[in-house]
Amino acid sequence: MKLSNTQFITRGLIAFVITSGIIALILSLVGIQEVQLPPGRKYGMVFDAGSTHTSIFLYHWPADEQNGTGIVSQLHHCEVNGPGISGYAENPPKAGESLRPCLDNVSSYIPVESQKETIIYLGATAGMRLLKIQNETKSDMILEEVSKTIKSYPFKFQGARIISGMEEGAYGWTTINYLLNSFIKYSFDGKWTHPESANIHGALDLGGASTQITFTPKESIEDKTTDVRFKLYGYNYIIYTHSYLCYGQQHFKKKHIAMQLQGKNLTDLIEIPCYLKGFKSNMTLDSIFDSPCTSDQKPLPYDGTQIIALVGTGKPGECREAVKTLFNFTACGGSQTCAFDGVYQPPINGPFFAFSAFFYTFDFFNLTSGNPSLSTVNKTIKEFCSREWQEVKASYPKQKVKYLQNYCLSATQIYTLLVDAYNFDSRTWNNIIFQQKADNTEIGWTLGYMLNLTNIMPAEQVYLHKSQAMEAWAVLIVLFIVVVVMGVVILLVSLRSAMDNTVL
């Protein structure tokens, strides 16, 4: 039977639609490929329980890792009110309770579904090291109380412990070089790569109870007790690090005053050359000799409640000599690989970041920018230490007295440490960068610790799902549109044919 034109067109369109459907089916099968889903995020918190205060830092990173180490960034941080946890030696439960406001604050930044897998760790530094020397039972009780508080939150608690000075120095070095992209950087083609000529920086840290120096020397490290080995992003690093307990600002001040008391009548005014002329202060003997750094210098007979009167003389020359005596340079016997107190140190190498109290002290003197020369630094400190206390106090009305009174001593300590101990000179001085933040992140040991922890933690499993290639999707969409249009045309032709038949 001969087909009408309408029937012929209709059947042709149906054949085209069927053929297009078959092609679409084939493309949907052939074009399938496996696509990696975006990695989830992991979270981690670290408490930095320092000698004078405690901070909590919240970090996050993609769940997959680059050569075994996570790409970590700071999300939030919170300062705990009150002293460092070592300050609660007489009331350990209060140390734990002091952490709650910050724990509540930081918790709000972590998705509820991620909190059970969020790691949290507390590391105590030099203040607790000294307390452990002084009274191990009290230090253990404080760690027990802070652990009890942290465990009451829905996080994956990794422990609370006193970290060593070497760990503090090494993790601080890791933080700096990570933030400066010395280990890994994001390339133009959207990949994380290891810099071909990484500019590794040294780290200079000054806290309340200790100070640390860490760097990669040119020569091999002779004293193997001072080297630390890292593997980050698939590369190995060997660094020199040493921590000097009792040489942090707060305890160095106690050492200085204790030395000035030697052989003196404690009922007389005690002259302090590192205090500005005219400054006066009263202190109990316990506030000076309650530290393992000074306890062996107690005057006899000893009454810890006895009050002594101090007066500043503002003599920068005498201050400098007194500070140099506290570093005990004679113990090095003239060795070129010795800093002070007989401690081995290879020659300094490369640029350095000086942070914490190094930065805060020199920032007060406007010495952290503009690359001031070593002679300018020396002159600035001398001029300040020669000023009258009342004049300085009037010049800095917003500065708290507890900080202002110590700037002469602190600056002299820093100058002596960097120049006489670590051997920075006029040629290498400007290799030191005094800075507290890099890439909008606080510099300290906590980020370095988190990087090391992600090196230990297994990476999240990579999940794949089936997906169409972009080209296949484009063809399928075109075919879909064509099929829909043809379907409408077939419908219209069929309706037209039916209407014609009805009329006939």
Side-chain angles (χ1 to χ4, degrees):
M1 182 178 64
K2 188 177 179 178
L3 296 173
S4 67
N5 288 338
T6 301
Q7 290 175 322
F8 181 80
I9 293 172
T10 302
R11 292 189 181 186
L13 290 174
I14 293 173
F16 178 80
V17 170
I18 293 172
T19 304
S20 298
I22 293 171
I23 293 172
L25 178 62
I26 293 171
L27 283 173
S28 68
L29 295 174
V30 173
I32 286 178
Q33 61 182 14
E34 290 186 330
V35 177
Q36 182 176 327
L37 291 173
R41 299 205 70 76
K42 289 188 176 182
Y43 298 84
M45 287 182 275
V46 184
F47 274 102
D48 178 2
S51 57
T52 58
H53 71 283
T54 298
S55 304
I56 182 171
F57 296 89
L58 173 62
Y59 300 105
H60 62 154
W61 62 95
D64 62 338
E65 297 176 358
Q66 302 296 320
N67 291 325
T69 310
I71 305 296
V72 181
S73 60
Q74 182 177 314
L75 180 61
H76 184 62
H77 98 279
C78 181
E79 295 289 331
V80 175
N81 290 327
I85 60 173
S86 59
Y88 296 105
E90 302 306 320
N91 190 1
K94 197 172 180 180
E97 288 303 311
S98 70
L99 307 182
R100 288 194 181 277
C102 269
L103 279 166
D104 293 337
N105 173 263
V106 174
S107 297
S108 65
Y109 288 82
I110 307 171
V112 175
E113 64 272 14
S114 299
Q115 292 188 0
K116 287 186 178 180
E117 295 302 316
T118 296
I119 58 174
I120 185 168
Y121 172 84
L122 184 142
T125 55
M128 286 292 284
R129 287 180 218 137
L130 288 173
L131 180 59
K132 186 174 182 179
I133 294 171
Q134 197 172 27
N135 192 319
E136 187 170 358
T137 299
K138 288 184 178 180
S139 70
D140 288 344
M141 289 174 65
I142 288 174
L143 292 177
E144 183 179 335
E145 290 296 332
V146 296
S147 296
K148 189 186 302 181
T149 296
I150 297 172
K151 285 178 181 177
S152 68
Y153 286 78
F155 304 119
K156 188 181 287 186
F157 183 48
Q158 300 289 301
R161 69 179 180 88
I162 301 171
I163 67 170
S164 70
M166 288 187 71
E167 288 177 293
E168 188 176 1
Y171 291 143
W173 173 88
T174 304
T175 296
I176 289 169
N177 286 288
Y178 173 81
L179 294 174
L180 296 176
N181 295 321
S182 300
F183 299 137
I184 193 170
K185 67 178 181 179
Y186 202 65
S187 64
F188 288 112
D189 58 358
K191 295 180 180 178
W192 290 98
T193 61
H194 181 77
E196 292 184 5
S197 55
N199 192 16
I200 300 296
H201 285 64
L204 298 167
D205 184 8
L206 178 61
S210 68
T211 186
Q212 288 76 232
I213 178 171
T214 309
F215 63 98
T216 52
K218 281 186 177 179
E219 58 190 49
S220 60
I221 299 173
E222 296 174 11
D223 183 355
K224 299 305 178 185
T225 64
T226 63
D227 77 8
V228 175
R229 296 164 188 262
F230 277 111
K231 185 172 184 179
L232 292 167
Y233 304 105
Y235 289 82
N236 295 310
Y237 299 91
I238 301 175
I239 58 176
Y240 165 85
T241 186
H242 189 80
S243 177
Y244 294 92
L245 194 60
C246 296
Y247 285 87
Q249 281 189 325
Q250 298 300 319
H251 289 268
F252 191 85
K253 169 189 168 183
K254 294 184 178 188
K255 286 165 66 72
H256 174 64
I257 296 175
M259 183 180 70
Q260 299 303 311
L261 296 182
Q262 299 304 306
K264 304 286 178 64
N265 183 347
L266 301 186
T267 59
D268 293 338
L269 272 176
I270 306 299
E271 295 185 344
I272 307 295
C274 291
Y275 279 162
L276 300 187
K277 189 175 182 179
F279 172 80
K280 293 181 179 180
S281 177
N282 294 327
M283 303 178 71
T284 64
L285 288 181
D286 268 351
S287 66
I288 301 167
F289 297 101
D290 62 347
S291 164
C293 304
T294 54
S295 57
D296 61 343
Q297 300 176 55
K298 288 180 179 179
L300 297 176
Y302 181 77
D303 177 8
T305 62
Q306 182 179 350
I307 296 175
I308 57 169
L310 309 178
V311 60
T313 58
K315 297 180 178 179
E318 290 184 17
C319 175
R320 177 102 159 85
E321 290 305 312
V323 167
K324 287 177 72 173
T325 301
L326 290 173
F327 279 96
N328 189 15
F329 292 114
T330 57
C332 287
S335 171
Q336 297 300 307
T337 55
C338 178
F340 64 95
D341 278 355
V343 175
Y344 164 79
Q345 179 193 300
I348 55 173
N349 176 49
F352 281 78
F353 251 65
F355 54 99
S356 298
F358 281 116
F359 169 77
Y360 293 123
T361 301
F362 271 28
D363 186 54
F364 170 80
F365 290 96
N366 294 318
L367 294 171
T368 58
S369 60
N371 295 322
S373 65
L374 183 57
S375 60
T376 298
V377 171
N378 188 28
K379 180 183 177 182
T380 300
I381 295 171
K382 280 185 176 180
E383 289 178 350
F384 179 83
C385 290
S386 301
R387 294 170 68 180
E388 297 276 347
W389 168 247
Q390 291 301 328
E391 182 260 321
V392 168
K393 190 177 177 183
S395 298
Y396 300 95
K398 294 183 180 180
Q399 279 282 339
K400 293 182 179 179
V401 170
K402 67 176 182 178
Y403 299 128
L404 193 59
Q405 70 184 50
N406 293 315
Y407 276 127
C408 173
L409 173 60
S410 296
T412 304
Q413 175 197 356
I414 289 173
Y415 183 89
T416 305
L417 178 63
L418 296 178
V419 174
D420 298 298
Y422 295 160
N423 289 317
F424 286 95
D425 56 26
S426 57
R427 295 177 300 104
T428 58
W429 180 258
N430 285 329
N431 287 345
I432 307 175
I433 303 165
F434 293 88
Q435 198 164 312
Q436 185 54 30
K437 282 188 175 184
D439 195 25
N440 294 316
T441 299
E442 295 283 337
I443 298 174
W445 64 268
T446 56
L447 176 55
Y449 173 80
M450 188 58 66
L451 287 167
N452 185 65
L453 193 61
T454 62
N455 215 8
I456 298 170
M457 293 170 61
E460 184 177 275
Q461 180 183 348
V462 176
Y463 291 99
L464 304 174
H465 81 191
K466 305 294 183 181
S467 180
Q468 293 289 341
M470 184 64 71
E471 296 82 0
W473 265 111
V475 174
L476 286 172
I477 290 171
V478 171
L479 285 174
F480 175 76
I481 294 171
V482 171
V483 168
V484 170
V485 172
M486 291 300 101
V488 172
V489 172
I490 291 170
L491 180 61
L492 292 174
V493 170
S494 298
L495 289 173
R496 176 75 176 273
S497 177
M499 290 173 65
D500 290 344
N501 290 334
T502 302
V503 172
L504 292 173

